[in-house]
């Protein structure tokens, strides 16, 4: 019998689209946290000068990927692998909340500053004359960085939980996002 790659999720494992989105976002998050760490720990180094200018663009990309991911999970909601327990459901809820709120606050502050913003060579915000929109910049200043570091802690917890499951013999948790994708 011929095996083929499953695009949709099933109760047993995530399909190719969910996995692609998950691992693309993981890579983009690794990149954005490297850019932030280099900016604050190695200010003005060659690494900082290379990575920091990509921070906003990768942040926008993450926002786009998240919106596609939310739509895809909605379309697949009746056939996704179930959460292991309440803690996992809550943890995933917090991760999604952070993944939305952080780039949203970054973009809100960018808009409120009145400065133009383009990403990947495309204009995203044209900017405006006159005073900045104070409540937008204040919200971004107060919460973007704080929530950004909080999300990093949650991501470390998420990875630690998967490792713990593997140690306890529940390797299927990792395999449903990273194992074989073919259906027979
Ligand atoms: C999921 C996406 C994002 C993550 C995880 C993230 C994370 C972070 C973190 C952790 C900081 C350090 C804050 C500090 O220690 O003070 C930071 C700073 C910054 N981010 Fe982001 N960011 C994201 C998206 C964006 C976007 C979309 C923009 C703007 C379009 C943006 C603009 C900035 C700016 C200007 C700073 C420096 C000012 C500050 O300290 O707040 N970020 N970001």
């Amino acid at each position: 019998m011929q095996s083929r790659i499953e695009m949709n999720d099933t109760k047993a494992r995530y399909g190719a689209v969910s996995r692609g989105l998950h691992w693309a976002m993981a890579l983009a998050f690794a990149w954005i946290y490297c850019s932030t760490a280099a900016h604050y720990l190695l200010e003005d180094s060659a690494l900082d000068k290379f990575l920091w200018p990509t921070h906003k663009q990768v942040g926008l990309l993450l926002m786009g990927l998240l919106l596609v991911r939310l739509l895809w999970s909605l379309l697949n909601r009746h056939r996704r692998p179930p959460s292991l327990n309440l803690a996992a459901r809550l943890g995933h809820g917090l991760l999604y909340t952070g993944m939305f709120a952080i780039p949203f606050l970054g973009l809100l502050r960018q808009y409120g500053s009145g400065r133009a913003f383009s990403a990947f060579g495309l204009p995203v915000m044209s900017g405006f004359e006159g005073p900045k929109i104070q409540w937008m910049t204040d919200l971004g200043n107060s919460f973007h960085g704080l929530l950004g570091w909080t999300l990093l802690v949650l991501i470390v917890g998420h990875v630690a939980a998967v490792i713990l499951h593997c140690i306890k013999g529940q390797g299927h948790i990792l395999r449903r996002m990273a194992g074989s994708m073919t259906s027979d």
Side-chain angles (χ1 to χ4, degrees):
M1 202 186 279
Q2 217 179 13
S3 59
R4 62 183 179 85
I5 291 180
E6 189 59 68
M7 299 308 261
N8 286 314
D9 298 341
T10 66
K11 289 275 176 205
R13 59 194 159 197
Y14 292 99
V17 177
S18 292
R19 288 174 190 220
L21 288 166
H22 177 273
W23 294 112
M25 286 185 77
L27 200 69
F29 271 114
W31 184 281
I32 209 163
Y33 280 114
C34 285
S35 79
T36 316
H39 191 60
Y40 288 94
L41 300 176
L42 304 167
E43 206 182 338
D44 288 333
S45 65
L47 192 65
D48 174 33
K49 285 183 183 145
F50 172 66
L51 287 175
W52 185 248
T54 67
H55 182 92
K56 295 180 185 179
Q57 308 196 42
V58 176
L60 180 72
L61 179 70
L62 274 164
M63 183 58 138
L65 287 170
L66 178 74
L67 295 179
V68 176
R69 193 170 170 186
L70 284 173
L71 186 71
W72 187 252
S73 63
L74 214 68
L75 292 172
N76 279 264
R77 66 188 180 283
H78 296 306
R79 47 172 182 245
R80 312 203 92 195
S83 284
L84 204 62
N85 51 37
L86 184 65
R89 199 171 307 151
L90 281 176
H92 292 155
L94 283 175
L95 281 168
Y96 273 104
T97 308
M99 288 192 296
F100 177 79
I102 296 152
F104 177 76
L105 288 168
L107 291 165
L108 191 75
R109 176 174 56 188
Q110 180 69 38
Y111 182 80
S113 74
R115 289 193 303 268
F117 170 49
S118 49
F120 308 106
L122 299 169
V124 180
M125 294 172 192
S126 52
F128 54 81
E129 301 283 332
K132 59 185 180 184
I133 306 173
Q134 198 67 40
W135 68 266
M136 288 189 182
T137 54
D138 284 352
L139 259 184
N141 288 338
S142 305
F143 296 109
H144 177 77
L146 181 69
L147 291 179
W149 294 122
T150 309
L151 181 66
L152 182 60
V153 173
L154 284 174
I155 292 173
V156 171
H158 173 69
V159 175
V162 174
I163 295 173
L164 220 70
H165 284 308
C166 290
I167 292 171
K168 286 198 305 190
Q170 295 172 310
H172 67 281
I173 298 290
L174 177 60
R175 278 196 300 277
R176 59 195 200 178
M177 188 56 95
S180 162
M181 273 193 300
T182 54
S183 69
D184 307 311

